Amino acid sequence: MSPYHAPLEDMQLLVNQAIRKTGLDQCQALEEFDEGLVGAVLEEAGKFAAGELAPLNPVGDTEGCHFDNGRVTTPAGWKEAYRQFCEAGWMGLALPVEYGGQGLPKFIAQPVNEMWLSANLAFVMFHALAQGGSEILLNFGTDAQKQRYLEPIITGRWTVAMALTEPGAGSDLGALTTRAVPQGDGYYRIRGQKIYITYGDHDMAENIVHLVLARTPDAPAGSRGISLFAVPKYRIQDDGSPGESNDVLCTGIEHKTGLHGSPTCSISYGEQGDCFGELIGQENRGLAAMFVLMNEARLSCGMQGVGLGERGYQQALDYARERIQGAGYDGGGRVAIVRHPDVARMLLSIRAEVMGQRALGYLIAAQIDKAEHTSDDAERTRLEQRVALLTPVFKAFATENANRMAGTTIQIFGGMGFVEETGVAQFMRDARITTIYEGTTGIQARDLVFRKIRGDGGQALTALLDEIDGDTEQSFLQETGFGAALRQATGQFRALIPVICGDSGDSLSLNAGGVPLLEALGTLCCAWQLCLIAVTAQSRKDQNPVYYGNLMALADYYFAYSVPRIDAGLSTFQQAGRGVSAYQFDQ
Amino acid sequence: MSPYHAPLEDMQLLVNQAIRKTGLDQCQALEEFDEGLVGAVLEEAGKFAAGELAPLNPVGDTEGCHFDNGRVTTPAGWKEAYRQFCEAGWMGLALPVEYGGQGLPKFIAQPVNEMWLSANLAFVMFHALAQGGSEILLNFGTDAQKQRYLEPIITGRWTVAMALTEPGAGSDLGALTTRAVPQGDGYYRIRGQKIYITYGDHDMAENIVHLVLARTPDAPAGSRGISLFAVPKYRIQDDGSPGESNDVLCTGIEHKTGLHGSPTCSISYGEQGDCFGELIGQENRGLAAMFVLMNEARLSCGMQGVGLGERGYQQALDYARERIQGAGYDGGGRVAIVRHPDVARMLLSIRAEVMGQRALGYLIAAQIDKAEHTSDDAERTRLEQRVALLTPVFKAFATENANRMAGTTIQIFGGMGFVEETGVAQFMRDARITTIYEGTTGIQARDLVFRKIRGDGGQALTALLDEIDGDTEQSFLQETGFGAALRQATGQFRALIPVICGDSGDSLSLNAGGVPLLEALGTLCCAWQLCLIAVTAQSRKDQNPVYYGNLMALADYYFAYSVPRIDAGLSTFQQAGRGVSAYQFDQ
């Protein structure tokens, strides 16, 4: 397996693109975070990712986690890497300085996160939990809670676990049954079983703060009766240090097809009747609080797709350049397989998706920063709506592609890809969960269609299409025909808005057609981002003809190979009830 | 994991469809193989597949094969299942009675094979090798060779291994270096290293006949200098029984991401200089002989896609009917997830592909039978061309879909699908090699474009399109609009034939666009077959309204969800050089 190289040139290009696009470069509060600082941070992160995390990735896959008598042991090297990760300050990179973080904006944290995800996804899964858990506490915690939890989490002394799923309550959180009974002292007695808890137990930190969704005794049924509790593994003493056990018991870990290095735990809370938690935010408003973490996790999933795709691309490209097999298509002797047009096609299919989705992921991060720092309320609302619209698209599209890209990477390796020691089969196995956890692709599509489009009468989608249309006016896009192709696609989406938002909206079709619609919108967003990249590339072509020429070729590739699928997807969306409505599965 | 059920009703329907389509029902030589006999064979095979083979599938996956000191041991139960498989006569089902086979036509063997592949793909991989190896000997062997090898192979006392690949010669067989030096007594001294040899060593049979591709000392370079040799693991004594070792050494087995129960061996031939083989067919004509087996193996791969898809579908359907999660899309209480339109969409995506591809696989088998039994030379040529055209399409399309279907199966299971004990992750891991072995998807596409279309000036493709057009005249297809949609697609393919066959054919585009073209043709063929199914279903609807109504809904589904991709694929084919020609991977 060839080593991981952080794609610094691509990253810097797309950070700059996101900054310019959102106008963050005009934001005074962030002026210290200039290109020099970004470059320095990315370079340091790249060294850590390549040097410390990537080499542990196959170790974690091969060794996996160990479970014995209620305790989880992580793979060899995990503990030491965790210590270094925290000491270097990576855990709190985009969290407040006041609690021990580095206070960097998200537009810098996003490419850094991508490196961790490329280098060792299974290892670094604690990080989005720390980020999202901290944001929950910052938004919903009392001052005392912030004092109690934030500094240990942000410095990595404690980790965060997110305890949502129960055997009977997965996608449908409203069905959960874990109970929380108030004790009168601000604490609640917690009792219930949760499953699929990432890093629910491990040996890397001195305490674990479980954020547990549960019901109070008089809570309404369904999702409006769910509250959020902080339930530490070890009770917190008056001096803030972890004390005695809080009756939080790991009862097992899953034997998964991928992500072997990340322990996926079943946890029993209060089996001895001795587990206590404190309410975060208000009673029965737990889902709203948890969605802060959930949205963070969904954006992280999208970046996982980018990170896995990039890692596979690097492997496949190295192999394709070295592996000699068969004569060239235009005659002559044996050539490296990268010279075979079908192999080039496969490589480009990964490279183009990675670049388009990476651009989208960085753009979303910059939009979150801009929404935080703008003093213009209307702009803030507009940006928040945009991020809300793009989150399910990015999450689902990038992860569906992660699966396809992992398959393509193996395909480029041929028979060697099927052999575990080559290392690329792991990408396929690891990627497989990304379209499932943090809300399946189907759930993202429903969120897109019903909440994000129908919910605001198509306003946020129209604003996105307007922005894309505006960008097509750039002369390079006019000349190449890319602009006209984009405008044709945006026109097709506009025509569908009344269908989606209409009173007579056929709910069966909207549900069945959601995924094809989401994939079409993801493709449009990638095409748009690749166009913006091509515009920059064209203007800089003289500086580095091969690199920028290739970026222009990527857009060209995408319009030939992926954009035609928009039409197919939207055609399907418009007739999505066909077959699905008539088929009877009960026979 | 729910048990496997052979889908007898679907199978019988599609066997009948294939018989009618090819006119085999008019073939006197096959009149004994009537519906009653087919039904009896399928029922027996279904019992064996479900009762004996399917239960061993997870055993093989979990335990894998063992390698120790040059010997391979198969998983627990393998040896006994092999004995039963042979004793029941399944090995020689479609091989000559004169050598111990059952002499059944391929149109019956195909659904039987599908059952083995559904039930336990890793186990049964010896079977296509026995079938194809026997066909090589029947076509190219001397009488003495037929006497020596066929009966032991067909009864399963000996197995066949296919030794093609070398570390430097995978897709490009012309590069192989294994040597065969004539000894003057009709035997050749063999020396070389081969890899990726399925069942290259094992403990289930008393001998293994390796069919080895090698070069004689004065052979021309490249693929025109390759000869085929039968190299038994144990030398064959005068009485026909295996005797002393023939210096065929298994040096290791691969640690693969899937197909753990099937040993994939590295073999060293003649390490002690003491390995001998006999020439099969003529010197330097080894590839032509091996292609008899290869074509058999490619058709088997296509059926593997069908079999894996069917098995996943059965699992996913059972789970989706049982798993209660979330409220129904049209209001009301919690429902089984099969009631969610997006889950129904996913199930239908598998069911429709499986039925379309199964129909295609059975049709090809019937065409091979018809070509064998027709007395009309023109018809035989026409059928052979048709089979040659459809082989790469069926192989590549069905296996690419096998990967997609396996992913969809896991997706329907949600988080449980990612847990190995559920059993469906195995389908993803097993399926991953099917687009690689026996010629990658890229190689199938090249075969389709250059040999099968360009090679005959588009004649075979035109004949296929003519037949599809002819079928669209059926009144049900006219009424539903299916016929018009098919005709539109065939028209698009017709328009491309001059592009593919033209003198100025841009080889880069034809190579880069081959896979999109192949996928489009696969989709057209499935749509066509689903139309024929719908016609039958419509005429029988009163007999079983749910079953036949569902088959009609399948076609409807496919025209809404898959057929629009034909247009996208052909649009890509026409601009396939874009990006690919400009991108420079050498930077």
Side-chain angles (χ1 to χ4, degrees):
Chain A
M1 184 133 98
S2 50
Y4 169 68
H5 295 287
L8 296 175
E9 195 168 11
D10 294 342
M11 288 176 156
Q12 188 82 60
L13 180 90
L14 296 183
V15 166
N16 291 345
Q17 176 164 306
I19 289 174
R20 282 199 314 275
K21 194 83 183 99
T22 48
L24 270 185
D25 47 352
Q26 309 299 322
C27 178
Q28 288 216 321
L30 299 176
E31 66 184 1
E32 63 180 301
F33 304 106
D34 61 7
E35 191 160 337
L37 186 137
V38 171
V41 172
L42 295 190
E43 201 178 321
E44 275 310 302
K47 280 184 203 158
F48 190 78
E52 306 300 329
L53 302 189
L56 290 177
N57 194 38
V59 175
D61 187 56
T62 307
E63 184 187 333
C65 293
H66 311 278
F67 174 76
D68 186 38
N69 199 21
R71 284 174 185 279
V72 173
T73 314
T74 52
W78 244 232
K79 217 169 153 174
E80 173 60 17
Y82 182 83
R83 192 187 61 72
Q84 290 178 33
F85 186 87
C86 298
E87 274 185 10
W90 297 118
M91 188 72 90
L93 190 71
L95 286 165
V97 174
E98 144 182 36
Y99 298 105
Q102 307 288 319
L104 264 62
K106 283 184 190 281
F107 80 82
I108 306 179
Q110 194 74 309
V112 172
N113 291 343
E114 184 200 317
M115 294 183 201
W116 312 145
L117 302 168
S118 269
N120 196 335
L121 171 58
F123 172 75
V124 86
M125 294 199 72
F126 54 76
H127 180 248
L129 291 163
Q131 178 77 32
S134 299
E135 289 179 10
I136 287 180
L137 289 160
L138 287 163
N139 278 287
F140 297 95
T142 61
D143 285 343
Q145 288 170 338
K146 289 179 192 171
Q147 289 306 324
R148 193 145 49 236
Y149 295 110
L150 278 172
E151 188 274 340
I153 290 172
I154 289 173
T155 57
R157 281 194 288 118
W158 304 354
T159 63
V160 171
M162 179 165 136
L164 285 71
T165 305
E166 299 176 6
S171 295
D172 179 14
L173 285 173
L176 65 82
T177 62
T178 295
R179 302 267 291 171
V181 181
Q183 303 296 300
D185 57 354
Y187 281 82
Y188 292 69
R189 191 184 293 267
I190 309 289
R191 181 159 215 159
Q193 317 278 335
K194 298 277 184 181
I195 58 171
Y196 298 163
I197 306 177
T198 298
Y199 278 110
D201 193 61
H202 61 84
D203 56 355
M204 306 189 306
E206 64 182 34
N207 205 357
I208 302 170
V209 183
H210 295 249
L211 295 174
V212 179
L213 291 181
R215 292 184 183 289
T216 53
D218 305 319
S223 58
R224 281 172 309 174
I226 295 175
S227 306
L228 177 64
F229 300 88
V231 182
K233 177 179 176 184
Y234 297 108
R235 286 187 199 139
I236 299 159
Q237 303 178 100
D238 290 343
D239 69 354
S241 67
E244 58 182 340
S245 164
N246 190 28
D247 193 13
V248 171
L249 181 68
C250 180
T251 56
I253 59 174
E254 303 292 347
H255 170 221
K256 310 185 299 292
T257 199
L259 295 187
H260 296 163
S262 162
T264 302
C265 304
S266 302
I267 304 275
S268 177
Y269 297 95
E271 198 157 86
Q272 316 289 328
D274 206 25
C275 175
F276 297 93
E278 55 182 312
L279 183 70
I280 306 291
Q282 291 179 270
E283 273 193 16
N284 301 329
R285 302 289 286 276
L287 272 190
M290 188 57 97
F291 256 86
V292 169
L293 196 163
M294 187 68 92
N295 279 322
E296 181 71 31
R298 287 179 177 180
L299 293 175
S300 170
C301 280
M303 289 312 296
Q304 291 169 24
V306 175
L308 287 170
E310 170 70 31
R311 187 90 172 94
Y313 177 75
Q314 291 187 14
Q315 299 289 315
L317 178 60
D318 285 352
Y319 181 76
R321 279 169 168 165
E322 280 167 20
R323 169 77 173 169
I324 309 289
Q325 192 77 180
Y329 72 93
D330 48 0
R334 304 180 83 206
V335 295
I337 63 170
V338 72
R339 298 264 152 249
H340 296 314
D342 184 61
V343 174
R345 173 192 68 80
M346 290 193 277
L347 286 166
L348 285 181
S349 76
I350 309 178
R351 173 94 174 118
E353 291 293 357
V354 164
M355 282 300 274
Q357 287 160 30
R358 174 183 284 145
L360 198 60
Y362 291 8
L363 180 63
I364 294 171
Q367 286 165 339
I368 295 172
D369 288 332
K370 190 71 195 298
E372 188 185 332
H373 288 97
T374 184
S375 53
D376 178 341
D377 288 349
E379 189 189 26
R380 183 179 310 110
T381 303
R382 190 180 64 72
L383 285 165
E384 285 171 354
Q385 284 177 338
R386 173 67 58 83
V387 170
L389 175 72
L390 290 180
T391 297
V393 177
F394 181 56
K395 193 281 180 186
F397 186 66
T399 56
E400 290 288 338
N401 270 313
N403 282 286
R404 290 188 278 257
M405 293 188 287
T408 303
T409 295
I410 295 174
Q411 191 71 20
I412 292 168
F413 274 83
M416 274 190 64
F418 196 61
V419 173
E420 280 290 355
E421 286 76 2
T422 306
V424 294
Q426 187 193 341
F427 304 149
M428 170 186 77
R429 294 186 286 94
D430 285 357
R432 197 60 203 75
I433 191 65
T434 60
T435 55
I436 295 171
Y437 62 16
E438 318 306 353
T440 63
T441 300
I443 283 180
Q444 304 303 320
R446 208 164 63 184
D447 182 45
L448 173 69
V449 171
F450 291 96
R451 258 185 241 121
K452 305 300 170 60
I453 301 179
R454 208 176 142 94
D456 76 353
Q459 218 182 311
L461 177 57
T462 302
L464 173 66
L465 300 173
D466 288 347
E467 184 173 342
I468 296 173
D469 280 350
D471 284 335
T472 64
E473 314 243 322
Q474 302 185 57
S475 60
F476 176 69
L477 300 184
Q478 301 258 335
E479 289 155 21
T480 50
F482 296 160
L486 280 182
R487 266 185 182 273
Q488 199 196 328
T490 58
Q492 290 176 298
F493 277 98
R494 282 182 205 278
L496 289 179
I497 293 176
V499 177
I500 299 170
C501 301
D503 287 343
S504 64
D506 169 6
S507 178
L508 184 134
S509 299
L510 293 181
N511 272 287
V515 171
L517 181 82
L518 184 149
E519 293 245 23
L521 188 53
T523 306
L524 172 63
C525 289
C526 272
W528 168 46
Q529 291 300 307
L530 288 167
C531 277
L532 299 182
I533 294 170
V535 167
T536 303
Q538 200 258 349
S539 72
R540 297 193 194 162
K541 193 158 182 218
D542 294 342
Q543 292 171 36
N544 184 342
V546 173
Y547 178 69
Y548 288 113
N550 280 347
L551 291 179
M552 290 162 70
L554 271 193
D556 209 22
Y557 169 88
Y558 205 73
F559 277 89
Y561 284 79
S562 296
V563 169
R565 287 185 215 142
I566 294 176
D567 198 50
L570 296 185
S571 159
T572 296
F573 177 73
Q574 287 174 279
Q575 43 185 337
R578 284 180 67 185
V580 179
S581 59
Y583 203 95
Q584 295 180 46
F585 286 101
D586 292 332
Q587 198 198 15
Chain B
M1 183 134 99
S2 49
Y4 169 68
H5 295 287
L8 296 176
E9 196 169 10
D10 294 342
M11 288 176 156
Q12 188 81 60
L13 180 90
L14 297 183
V15 166
N16 291 345
Q17 176 165 310
I19 289 174
R20 282 199 314 276
K21 196 85 183 92
T22 48
L24 271 184
D25 46 353
Q26 310 299 323
C27 179
Q28 288 216 322
L30 299 176
E31 67 184 359
E32 63 180 302
F33 304 107
D34 60 4
E35 191 160 338
L37 187 137
V38 171
V41 172
L42 295 190
E43 202 179 319
E44 275 311 302
K47 279 184 203 158
F48 190 78
E52 306 301 328
L53 301 190
L56 289 178
N57 194 36
V59 175
D61 187 56
T62 308
E63 185 187 332
C65 292
H66 311 277
F67 174 75
D68 186 37
N69 199 21
R71 285 175 182 278
V72 173
T73 314
T74 52
W78 244 233
K79 218 168 151 174
E80 172 60 15
Y82 181 83
R83 193 186 60 73
Q84 290 178 33
F85 186 87
C86 298
E87 276 186 9
W90 297 119
M91 187 73 91
L93 190 70
L95 287 165
V97 175
E98 123 180 57
Y99 297 105
Q102 306 289 318
L104 265 61
K106 283 184 190 281
F107 80 82
I108 306 179
Q110 194 74 309
V112 171
N113 292 343
E114 183 200 318
M115 293 183 202
W116 312 146
L117 301 168
S118 267
N120 196 334
L121 170 59
F123 171 74
V124 86
M125 294 197 71
F126 53 76
H127 180 248
L129 291 164
Q131 179 77 32
S134 298
E135 289 178 11
I136 287 181
L137 289 160
L138 286 164
N139 278 286
F140 297 95
T142 62
D143 285 341
Q145 287 170 338
K146 290 178 193 171
Q147 289 306 325
R148 191 142 53 235
Y149 295 110
L150 278 172
E151 189 275 339
I153 290 171
I154 288 174
T155 57
R157 281 193 289 118
W158 303 354
T159 62
V160 172
M162 178 166 138
L164 285 71
T165 306
E166 298 176 6
S171 295
D172 179 14
L173 286 172
L176 65 83
T177 61
T178 295
R179 302 267 291 173
V181 181
Q183 303 297 300
D185 57 354
Y187 282 83
Y188 291 68
R189 192 183 292 268
I190 309 290
R191 182 160 215 155
Q193 318 277 332
K194 297 278 182 179
I195 58 171
Y196 298 163
I197 305 178
T198 298
Y199 278 109
D201 194 62
H202 61 84
D203 55 356
M204 305 190 307
E206 64 183 33
N207 205 356
I208 302 171
V209 182
H210 295 248
L211 295 174
V212 179
L213 291 182
R215 292 184 184 289
T216 52
D218 305 317
S223 57
R224 282 173 307 175
I226 296 174
S227 306
L228 177 65
F229 300 88
V231 182
K233 177 179 175 185
Y234 297 107
R235 288 189 197 137
I236 300 160
Q237 303 179 100
D238 290 341
D239 69 353
S241 67
E244 58 182 339
S245 166
N246 190 27
D247 193 13
V248 171
L249 181 67
C250 179
T251 56
I253 58 174
E254 303 292 347
H255 171 219
K256 311 185 299 292
T257 197
L259 295 187
H260 296 163
S262 162
T264 302
C265 304
S266 302
I267 305 275
S268 177
Y269 298 94
E271 197 158 86
Q272 316 290 329
D274 206 25
C275 175
F276 297 91
E278 56 182 313
L279 182 71
I280 306 291
Q282 291 178 268
E283 274 194 18
N284 301 330
R285 303 289 286 276
L287 272 190
M290 188 57 99
F291 256 87
V292 168
L293 197 164
M294 187 68 94
N295 279 322
E296 180 71 33
R298 287 178 177 179
L299 294 175
S300 170
C301 279
M303 288 312 296
Q304 292 170 21
V306 175
L308 287 169
E310 170 69 30
R311 187 92 173 94
Y313 177 75
Q314 291 187 14
Q315 299 289 313
L317 178 60
D318 285 353
Y319 181 77
R321 279 169 167 165
E322 281 168 19
R323 170 76 173 170
I324 309 289
Q325 194 76 180
Y329 73 94
D330 48 359
R334 304 178 85 208
V335 294
I337 63 171
V338 73
R339 298 263 151 250
H340 296 313
D342 183 61
V343 174
R345 171 191 69 80
M346 290 192 278
L347 285 166
L348 286 181
S349 75
I350 309 178
R351 173 93 175 119
E353 291 293 358
V354 164
M355 282 299 275
Q357 286 160 30
R358 174 183 286 143
L360 198 60
Y362 293 7
L363 179 62
I364 294 171
Q367 286 164 340
I368 295 172
D369 288 331
K370 190 72 196 295
E372 189 185 331
H373 288 98
T374 185
S375 53
D376 177 343
D377 288 347
E379 189 190 23
R380 183 179 310 109
T381 303
R382 190 181 63 74
L383 285 164
E384 285 170 353
Q385 284 177 339
R386 173 67 58 82
V387 170
L389 175 72
L390 290 179
T391 297
V393 177
F394 182 56
K395 194 281 181 185
F397 186 66
T399 55
E400 289 289 338
N401 269 314
N403 282 285
R404 289 188 277 258
M405 294 188 285
T408 303
T409 295
I410 295 174
Q411 190 72 19
I412 293 169
F413 274 84
M416 274 189 64
F418 196 61
V419 173
E420 280 290 355
E421 285 77 2
T422 306
V424 294
Q426 187 193 341
F427 304 150
M428 170 186 77
R429 293 186 285 95
D430 284 357
R432 198 59 204 77
I433 191 64
T434 60
T435 55
I436 296 171
Y437 61 17
E438 320 305 353
T440 63
T441 300
I443 283 179
Q444 304 304 321
R446 208 164 62 184
D447 181 44
L448 173 68
V449 171
F450 291 97
R451 256 185 245 123
K452 305 301 170 61
I453 301 179
R454 209 175 141 94
D456 74 354
Q459 218 183 310
L461 177 57
T462 301
L464 173 67
L465 299 173
D466 288 346
E467 183 173 342
I468 295 173
D469 281 350
D471 285 334
T472 64
E473 314 241 321
Q474 304 186 55
S475 61
F476 177 69
L477 299 184
Q478 301 260 337
E479 289 154 22
T480 49
F482 296 158
L486 281 182
R487 267 185 182 274
Q488 198 194 329
T490 57
Q492 290 176 298
F493 278 97
R494 283 182 205 279
L496 290 178
I497 292 176
V499 177
I500 300 169
C501 302
D503 286 344
S504 64
D506 169 5
S507 177
L508 184 134
S509 300
L510 294 182
N511 272 287
V515 171
L517 180 83
L518 184 149
E519 293 245 22
L521 188 53
T523 306
L524 173 63
C525 289
C526 271
W528 168 47
Q529 291 299 308
L530 287 167
C531 278
L532 299 182
I533 295 170
V535 168
T536 304
Q538 201 259 348
S539 72
R540 298 193 194 164
K541 197 161 178 217
D542 294 342
Q543 292 170 36
N544 185 342
V546 173
Y547 178 68
Y548 290 113
N550 280 349
L551 291 180
M552 290 163 70
L554 272 194
D556 209 22
Y557 168 88
Y558 205 74
F559 277 88
Y561 284 80
S562 296
V563 170
R565 287 185 216 139
I566 294 176
D567 197 51
L570 296 185
S571 159
T572 295
F573 177 73
Q574 288 174 277
Q575 44 186 334
R578 285 180 64 184
V580 178
S581 58
Y583 204 94
Q584 294 181 47
F585 286 100
D586 292 332
Q587 198 199 17

